[in-house]
């Protein structure tokens, strides 16, 4: 077999391997908390971009309007305290029920973030669930975000219970 043919086959196999990793890379984080407030009060807080810095330890600055199709810009603080600029698109905004945002670079790493609000006895079950896909997830550990999203829910609860008093 010619050297150029072997090189082409090798590159093709490597390319298929990278594509397979990109398509199969998947991780997720999940946090939930029952907050003693009605879904509409929770919704009003999570869709008030200007208030995030007051209660959310992960998204310390948010700009944009939570409407379907709109773009949101975030300053996201990681475990080391450094901030990274992140952009997402609002995929779904169902008031009092669900807020879904999507962003990232397809094939490399994407995120699909959901706020889910469910009325329950004693208030609202608030869930943050995020799915990560792409080649990058094979080399990245998002476990810190699960705890951070839990702390964000606690901050949300504290903000809602303090403002109710």
């Amino acid at each position: 077999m010619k050297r150029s043919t072997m090189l082409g086959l090798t590159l093709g196999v490597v390319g298929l391997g990278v594509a397979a990793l990109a398509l199969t890379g998947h991780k997720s984080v999940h946090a939930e908390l029952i907050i003693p407030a009605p879904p509409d009060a929770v919704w009003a807080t999570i869709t008030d971009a200007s208030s995030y810095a007051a209660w959310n330890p992960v998204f310390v600055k948010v700009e944009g309007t939570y409407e379907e199709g709109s773009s949101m810009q975030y300053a996201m603080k990681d475990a080391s305290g450094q901030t990274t600029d992140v952009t997402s698109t609002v995929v779904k905004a169902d008031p009092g029920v669900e807020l879904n945002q999507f962003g990232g670079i397809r094939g490399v790493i994407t995120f699909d973030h959901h706020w889910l609000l469910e009325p329950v006895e004693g208030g609202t079950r608030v869930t943050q669930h995020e799915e990560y896909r792409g080649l990058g997830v094979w080399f990245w550990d998002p476990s810190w975000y699960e705890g951070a999203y839990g702390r964000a829910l606690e901050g949300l609860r504290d903000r809602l219970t303090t403002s109710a008093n």
Side-chain angles (χ1 to χ4, degrees):
M1 196 177 292
K2 287 185 171 184
R3 186 179 206 92
S4 62
T5 304
M6 282 297 289
L7 180 61
L9 285 173
T10 301
L11 291 175
V13 168
V14 169
L16 285 173
V18 169
L21 287 174
L23 292 172
T24 60
H26 174 260
K27 293 182 181 174
S28 65
V29 295
H30 183 92
E32 65 181 59
L33 183 67
I34 295 176
I35 295 178
D40 60 334
V42 175
W43 181 262
T45 302
I46 66 171
T47 58
D48 177 8
S50 65
S51 75
Y52 266 66
W55 62 268
N56 194 313
V58 180
F59 299 111
V60 295
K61 182 179 178 188
V62 179
E63 295 176 347
T65 305
Y66 288 102
E67 296 174 355
E68 289 182 16
S70 68
S71 180
M72 302 298 297
Q73 291 75 43
Y74 299 91
M76 181 178 71
K77 186 185 288 187
D78 66 17
S80 72
Q82 291 187 330
T83 59
T84 303
D85 292 332
V86 177
T87 300
S88 72
T89 299
V90 178
V91 177
K92 183 175 186 179
D94 186 358
V97 179
E98 180 180 7
L99 178 61
N100 175 215
Q101 300 160 92
F102 183 87
I105 301 169
R106 291 188 189 274
V108 178
I109 190 164
T110 60
F111 61 90
D112 187 10
H113 185 272
H114 294 262
W115 285 97
L116 303 168
L117 311 179
E118 176 189 358
V120 295
E121 186 173 329
T124 304
R125 180 186 326 276
V126 182
T127 302
Q128 284 195 81
H129 185 82
E130 191 161 60
E131 301 279 332
Y132 307 98
R133 297 193 182 278
L135 181 63
V137 301
W138 291 102
F139 310 101
W140 178 62
D141 178 12
S143 61
W144 177 83
Y145 291 98
E146 193 156 71
Y149 285 173
R151 289 188 299 280
L153 291 175
E154 291 166 359
L156 177 62
R157 176 199 59 211
D158 295 347
R159 180 158 180 95
L160 284 161
T161 55
T162 300
S163 64
N165 293 329

